[in-house]
Amino acid sequence: GDYAYTTTWGFRDAVGNAIKIWNVAGVSAPVLVDSVIVPNATTLGDVQVSDDGQLLVVATEFSPGSIMIYNLADPTKPQLITRYTSALTDPGVHTAEVQRVGGKLYAFLSVDPSVSAARLVIVDLSNPASPQQVLTAPMGTPYVHDVFVRDGLLFTALWNEGMRIWDIGGGGHGGTVANPVVLGNVVNVGGKAHNI
């Protein structure tokens, strides 16, 4: 619609960790409409609006890692529905891709490495007030930095392991969101597959 959302990284002066709401309807520069401060976060990651424009999802770091889910009934005044956090989103959610697969809305969370490994956590957002974990899997050396979902395919940026493509319902190999099937992998020269 007429609005865009950005996040700030880290505690910056008096602003803190904020979601910035911008009116982008005009032909000139975007106009700042409002800010929402996110409590109990060291920094904010990326932000995404669901395809139907109803939800805003924000990744938070560091402990406790989480996603904040907001209602956008009024796009200028996001209202917090819930904060999803678990032991498996610790120490932080670096990025969160929000996409629909088979008609159902999911958040694909790239979780920072902890003592063991980085991991991907997939959360069902069918009921935004009560997100449900569908999958968690160790992924990436040392990071799973970012993912992209399209047409039932999951693309993962796995840093030194390159890029991997998974069937999660659209690749013709029986994969599902809860049980992805690897279709292929490319390890790029020098590693550091960062964004996809």
Side-chain angles (χ1 to χ4, degrees):
D2 295 335
Y3 299 93
Y5 305 88
T6 61
T7 57
T8 60
W9 193 88
F11 288 102
R12 306 290 185 190
D13 299 322
V15 176
N17 292 305
I19 302 164
K20 302 285 189 171
I21 303 157
W22 304 88
N23 184 325
V24 293
V27 293
S28 61
V31 176
L32 182 64
V33 175
D34 204 351
S35 295
V36 176
I37 301 298
V38 177
N40 301 318
T42 305
T43 189
L44 301 183
D46 59 350
V47 59
Q48 189 173 348
V49 175
S50 59
D51 58 356
D52 59 7
Q54 299 300 305
L55 300 176
L56 178 72
V57 177
V58 179
T60 77
E61 296 172 299
F62 289 94
S63 296
S66 68
I67 54 171
M68 307 295 284
I69 304 169
Y70 295 87
N71 181 306
L72 289 178
D74 178 349
T76 66
K77 300 284 183 196
Q79 296 298 309
L80 182 63
I81 298 172
T82 193
R83 173 181 227 138
Y84 175 79
T85 187
S86 77
L88 295 171
T89 59
D90 194 55
V93 179
H94 192 64
T95 61
E97 169 83 354
V98 179
Q99 291 297 335
R100 211 169 286 279
V101 179
K104 191 178 281 192
L105 192 64
Y106 295 94
F108 297 80
L109 315 181
S110 298
V111 178
D112 294 321
S114 61
V115 177
S116 54
R119 67 187 154 278
L120 176 69
V121 174
I122 303 176
V123 179
D124 181 345
L125 296 179
S126 297
N127 177 0
S130 181
Q132 299 296 312
Q133 180 182 295
V134 175
L135 172 82
T136 181
M139 198 168 291
T141 304
Y143 310 109
V144 52
H145 189 278
D146 189 40
V147 304
F148 179 75
V149 176
R150 182 170 182 172
D151 300 329
L153 298 175
L154 169 65
F155 301 80
T156 56
L158 303 176
W159 206 252
N160 292 335
E161 293 177 21
M163 180 205 54
R164 192 166 297 144
I165 304 171
W166 309 76
D167 174 7
I168 57 170
H173 287 80
T176 65
V177 174
N179 189 25
V181 173
V182 175
L183 298 178
N185 192 79
V186 174
V187 179
N188 49 306
V189 174
K192 300 182 182 176
H194 180 259
N195 191 273
I196 204 161

PDB file of all heavy atoms in Angstrom, residues 178-195:
ATOM      1  N   ALA A 178       7.517 -29.186   6.735  1.00  0.00           N
ATOM      2  CA  ALA A 178       7.982 -29.930   7.910  1.00  0.00           C
ATOM      3  C   ALA A 178       9.064 -30.941   7.574  1.00  0.00           C
ATOM      4  O   ALA A 178       9.784 -31.392   8.464  1.00  0.00           O
ATOM      5  CB  ALA A 178       6.802 -30.639   8.577  1.00  0.00           C
ATOM      6  N   ASN A 179       9.198 -31.294   6.296  1.00  0.00           N
ATOM      7  CA  ASN A 179      10.181 -32.294   5.879  1.00  0.00           C
ATOM      8  C   ASN A 179      10.771 -31.908   4.517  1.00  0.00           C
ATOM      9  O   ASN A 179      10.458 -32.522   3.500  1.00  0.00           O
ATOM     10  CB  ASN A 179       9.528 -33.682   5.823  1.00  0.00           C
ATOM     11  CG  ASN A 179      10.549 -34.776   5.600  1.00  0.00           C
ATOM     12  OD1 ASN A 179      11.717 -34.623   5.923  1.00  0.00           O
ATOM     13  ND2 ASN A 179      10.106 -35.877   5.034  1.00  0.00           N
ATOM     14  N   PRO A 180      11.635 -30.889   4.483  1.00  0.00           N
ATOM     15  CA  PRO A 180      12.218 -30.433   3.215  1.00  0.00           C
ATOM     16  C   PRO A 180      13.118 -31.492   2.575  1.00  0.00           C
ATOM     17  O   PRO A 180      13.757 -32.272   3.275  1.00  0.00           O
ATOM     18  CB  PRO A 180      13.043 -29.215   3.618  1.00  0.00           C
ATOM     19  CG  PRO A 180      12.556 -28.818   4.967  1.00  0.00           C
ATOM     20  CD  PRO A 180      12.074 -30.081   5.615  1.00  0.00           C
ATOM     21  N   VAL A 181      13.150 -31.494   1.248  1.00  0.00           N
ATOM     22  CA  VAL A 181      14.005 -32.408   0.491  1.00  0.00           C
ATOM     23  C   VAL A 181      15.003 -31.568  -0.302  1.00  0.00           C
ATOM     24  O   VAL A 181      14.617 -30.653  -1.040  1.00  0.00           O
ATOM     25  CB  VAL A 181      13.174 -33.287  -0.466  1.00  0.00           C
ATOM     26  CG1 VAL A 181      14.074 -34.108  -1.378  1.00  0.00           C
ATOM     27  CG2 VAL A 181      12.221 -34.180   0.328  1.00  0.00           C
ATOM     28  N   VAL A 182      16.302 -31.875  -0.164  1.00  0.00           N
ATOM     29  CA  VAL A 182      17.339 -31.132  -0.877  1.00  0.00           C
ATOM     30  C   VAL A 182      17.260 -31.426  -2.363  1.00  0.00           C
ATOM     31  O   VAL A 182      17.222 -32.578  -2.782  1.00  0.00           O
ATOM     32  CB  VAL A 182      18.749 -31.497  -0.353  1.00  0.00           C
ATOM     33  CG1 VAL A 182      19.827 -30.808  -1.180  1.00  0.00           C
ATOM     34  CG2 VAL A 182      18.898 -31.133   1.112  1.00  0.00           C
ATOM     35  N   LEU A 183      17.266 -30.360  -3.179  1.00  0.00           N
ATOM     36  CA  LEU A 183      17.267 -30.499  -4.632  1.00  0.00           C
ATOM     37  C   LEU A 183      18.649 -30.247  -5.224  1.00  0.00           C
ATOM     38  O   LEU A 183      18.986 -30.814  -6.257  1.00  0.00           O
ATOM     39  CB  LEU A 183      16.275 -29.518  -5.261  1.00  0.00           C
ATOM     40  CG  LEU A 183      14.812 -29.704  -4.873  1.00  0.00           C
ATOM     41  CD1 LEU A 183      13.954 -28.635  -5.526  1.00  0.00           C
ATOM     42  CD2 LEU A 183      14.329 -31.093  -5.269  1.00  0.00           C
ATOM     43  N   GLY A 184      19.422 -29.397  -4.577  1.00  0.00           N
ATOM     44  CA  GLY A 184      20.749 -29.104  -5.102  1.00  0.00           C
ATOM     45  C   GLY A 184      21.497 -28.129  -4.219  1.00  0.00           C
ATOM     46  O   GLY A 184      20.914 -27.500  -3.336  1.00  0.00           O
ATOM     47  N   ASN A 185      22.811 -28.031  -4.462  1.00  0.00           N
ATOM     48  CA  ASN A 185      23.673 -27.183  -3.648  1.00  0.00           C
ATOM     49  C   ASN A 185      24.786 -26.626  -4.528  1.00  0.00           C
ATOM     50  O   ASN A 185      25.324 -27.337  -5.372  1.00  0.00           O
ATOM     51  CB  ASN A 185      24.281 -28.016  -2.510  1.00  0.00           C
ATOM     52  CG  ASN A 185      24.952 -27.165  -1.458  1.00  0.00           C
ATOM     53  OD1 ASN A 185      24.276 -26.602  -0.617  1.00  0.00           O
ATOM     54  ND2 ASN A 185      26.268 -27.055  -1.520  1.00  0.00           N
ATOM     55  N   VAL A 186      25.118 -25.360  -4.323  1.00  0.00           N
ATOM     56  CA  VAL A 186      26.244 -24.744  -5.012  1.00  0.00           C
ATOM     57  C   VAL A 186      27.119 -24.080  -3.971  1.00  0.00           C
ATOM     58  O   VAL A 186      26.645 -23.248  -3.205  1.00  0.00           O
ATOM     59  CB  VAL A 186      25.784 -23.680  -6.040  1.00  0.00           C
ATOM     60  CG1 VAL A 186      26.986 -22.962  -6.642  1.00  0.00           C
ATOM     61  CG2 VAL A 186      24.937 -24.302  -7.125  1.00  0.00           C
ATOM     62  N   VAL A 187      28.405 -24.476  -3.901  1.00  0.00           N
ATOM     63  CA  VAL A 187      29.340 -23.826  -3.013  1.00  0.00           C
ATOM     64  C   VAL A 187      30.100 -22.807  -3.826  1.00  0.00           C
ATOM     65  O   VAL A 187      30.821 -23.159  -4.770  1.00  0.00           O
ATOM     66  CB  VAL A 187      30.313 -24.859  -2.370  1.00  0.00           C
ATOM     67  CG1 VAL A 187      31.304 -24.144  -1.465  1.00  0.00           C
ATOM     68  CG2 VAL A 187      29.530 -25.910  -1.599  1.00  0.00           C
ATOM     69  N   ASN A 188      29.904 -21.529  -3.497  1.00  0.00           N
ATOM     70  CA  ASN A 188      30.555 -20.478  -4.261  1.00  0.00           C
ATOM     71  C   ASN A 188      32.001 -20.308  -3.866  1.00  0.00           C
ATOM     72  O   ASN A 188      32.385 -20.607  -2.735  1.00  0.00           O
ATOM     73  CB  ASN A 188      29.788 -19.157  -4.093  1.00  0.00           C
ATOM     74  CG  ASN A 188      29.488 -18.819  -2.654  1.00  0.00           C
ATOM     75  OD1 ASN A 188      28.909 -19.628  -1.939  1.00  0.00           O
ATOM     76  ND2 ASN A 188      29.893 -17.646  -2.225  1.00  0.00           N
ATOM     77  N   VAL A 189      32.819 -19.833  -4.788  1.00  0.00           N
ATOM     78  CA  VAL A 189      34.238 -19.626  -4.546  1.00  0.00           C
ATOM     79  C   VAL A 189      34.405 -18.611  -3.413  1.00  0.00           C
ATOM     80  O   VAL A 189      33.835 -17.526  -3.464  1.00  0.00           O
ATOM     81  CB  VAL A 189      34.954 -19.141  -5.820  1.00  0.00           C
ATOM     82  CG1 VAL A 189      36.416 -18.784  -5.523  1.00  0.00           C
ATOM     83  CG2 VAL A 189      34.863 -20.182  -6.906  1.00  0.00           C
ATOM     84  N   GLY A 190      35.146 -18.977  -2.387  1.00  0.00           N
ATOM     85  CA  GLY A 190      35.382 -18.085  -1.263  1.00  0.00           C
ATOM     86  C   GLY A 190      34.300 -18.112  -0.213  1.00  0.00           C
ATOM     87  O   GLY A 190      34.424 -17.465   0.822  1.00  0.00           O
ATOM     88  N   GLY A 191      33.219 -18.851  -0.456  1.00  0.00           N
ATOM     89  CA  GLY A 191      32.139 -18.957   0.534  1.00  0.00           C
ATOM     90  C   GLY A 191      31.429 -17.631   0.763  1.00  0.00           C
ATOM     91  O   GLY A 191      31.318 -16.807  -0.126  1.00  0.00           O
ATOM     92  N   LYS A 192      30.933 -17.456   1.971  1.00  0.00           N
ATOM     93  CA  LYS A 192      30.261 -16.247   2.412  1.00  0.00           C
ATOM     94  C   LYS A 192      28.967 -15.953   1.643  1.00  0.00           C
ATOM     95  O   LYS A 192      28.675 -14.806   1.321  1.00  0.00           O
ATOM     96  CB  LYS A 192      31.214 -15.053   2.377  1.00  0.00           C
ATOM     97  CG  LYS A 192      32.418 -15.263   3.293  1.00  0.00           C
ATOM     98  CD  LYS A 192      33.328 -14.074   3.308  1.00  0.00           C
ATOM     99  CE  LYS A 192      34.533 -14.369   4.209  1.00  0.00           C
ATOM    100  NZ  LYS A 192      35.508 -13.302   4.198  1.00  0.00           N
ATOM    101  N   ALA A 193      28.185 -17.016   1.336  1.00  0.00           N
ATOM    102  CA  ALA A 193      26.861 -16.809   0.745  1.00  0.00           C
ATOM    103  C   ALA A 193      26.010 -16.107   1.789  1.00  0.00           C
ATOM    104  O   ALA A 193      25.680 -16.674   2.819  1.00  0.00           O
ATOM    105  CB  ALA A 193      26.242 -18.141   0.335  1.00  0.00           C
ATOM    106  N   HIS A 194      25.697 -14.863   1.531  1.00  0.00           N
ATOM    107  CA  HIS A 194      25.182 -13.955   2.563  1.00  0.00           C
ATOM    108  C   HIS A 194      23.696 -13.692   2.432  1.00  0.00           C
ATOM    109  O   HIS A 194      22.941 -13.821   3.371  1.00  0.00           O
ATOM    110  CB  HIS A 194      25.978 -12.659   2.455  1.00  0.00           C
ATOM    111  CG  HIS A 194      25.598 -11.612   3.440  1.00  0.00           C
ATOM    112  ND1 HIS A 194      24.791 -10.548   3.116  1.00  0.00           N
ATOM    113  CD2 HIS A 194      25.914 -11.461   4.753  1.00  0.00           C
ATOM    114  CE1 HIS A 194      24.627  -9.785   4.181  1.00  0.00           C
ATOM    115  NE2 HIS A 194      25.291 -10.310   5.182  1.00  0.00           N
ATOM    116  N   ASN A 195      23.260 -13.290   1.272  1.00  0.00           N
ATOM    117  CA  ASN A 195      21.875 -12.892   1.077  1.00  0.00           C
ATOM    118  C   ASN A 195      21.369 -13.555  -0.184  1.00  0.00           C
ATOM    119  O   ASN A 195      22.130 -13.787  -1.116  1.00  0.00           O
ATOM    120  CB  ASN A 195      21.808 -11.367   0.971  1.00  0.00           C
ATOM    121  CG  ASN A 195      20.402 -10.860   1.045  1.00  0.00           C
ATOM    122  OD1 ASN A 195      19.725 -10.779   0.030  1.00  0.00           O
ATOM    123  ND2 ASN A 195      19.941 -10.516   2.225  1.00  0.00           N
TER     124      ASN A 195
END
